[in-house]
Amino acid sequence: MESTIIIEDFSALGQISMVASLSILQTFGCATAALPTSLLSTQTEGFGQPVQLATSAWFKATISHWQDQNVKISTALIGYLGNQAIISDVIDALTKFRPSLVLVDPAMADQGELYPGLDFDYVDAIRQLCHKADLITPNVTELALLTDCEVPKWIDLAWVQNCLNKLESMGILASVVVSGVRMADQIGSVIAANNQLEFIASPYFSGHFYGTGDTFAPLLLGFLQRGVSLKEAVQKSTKLMEIAVEETSHLTTDDRKYGLRLAKLLGKLSTEVANGRQKDW
């Protein structure tokens, strides 16, 4: 059996980071191999300073054990790492297991700011990790940080294209899906399709939603593993994200800190996977 390796933090409260990834990929029917890079009492925003337990020694020992047991890794999902020192271990794991598809969500910033505890040396390390990716899914702030671009007041496709050109000049040749792009009364993702950029949108819900990237990335990977094209994967993932965001939009600001409500999303995904229907997603 081949597994999808998930490398990111494990947040003990709510449905953030690895909790969301495991739920979604297992609903797709994927076998999963979880490598938490740290254990957190909560996510890093909204709950004060979380209690953290580093997993570096366990991380390395687990990789060795899996190699001894001839564990096969087909694809990789890498999310929030939060620790610059672990990034070299992540790159080493990718080198050893050689997954055929590597998705890196460079989860490090949002709303114009780095997440608490991260600095520009961390951004440099994430750039090196992105060289190992087949697909990266930065939000607007993360794309700006990766490319040393200023975030304009209003995002347009020309700004995104300039950033993508800079990524290519840095030797980062992965496909890119830019998430969290706000245009007028819509929000969505920008992808390159047919040699031009395309905005795949959904309705905009006001307020901040935690963990959207943690949900979007495993959805993308799940669809790609089922043979769906990148454009179709983004379209299908966007529709499912709309379900989760709409459900979460009814919560108070404090309750949103626990992450997106995933019950309806997972129910829809589970039904469609079980029935083998994908065309209408």
Side-chain angles (χ1 to χ4, degrees), residues 57-89:
W58 177 89
F59 188 99
K60 294 176 183 177
T62 298
I63 291 172
S64 295
H65 183 208
W66 287 353
Q67 283 191 295
D68 290 342
Q69 297 302 309
N70 200 30
V71 171
K72 304 296 184 184
I73 301 297
S74 58
T75 54
L77 171 63
I78 301 169
Y80 176 79
L81 303 175
N83 178 350
Q84 185 177 337
I86 200 78
I87 293 176
S88 61
D89 294 333

Side-chain angles (χ1 to χ4, degrees), residues 45-57:
E45 296 182 285
F47 291 99
Q49 180 64 36
V51 179
Q52 299 190 40
L53 178 64
T55 62
S56 181

Side-chain angles (χ1 to χ4, degrees), residues 21 40 61 78 80 112 116 141 176 179 219 221:
S21 295
L40 304 179
I78 301 169
Y80 176 79
T141 302
V176 183
S179 64
L219 284 171
L221 187 62

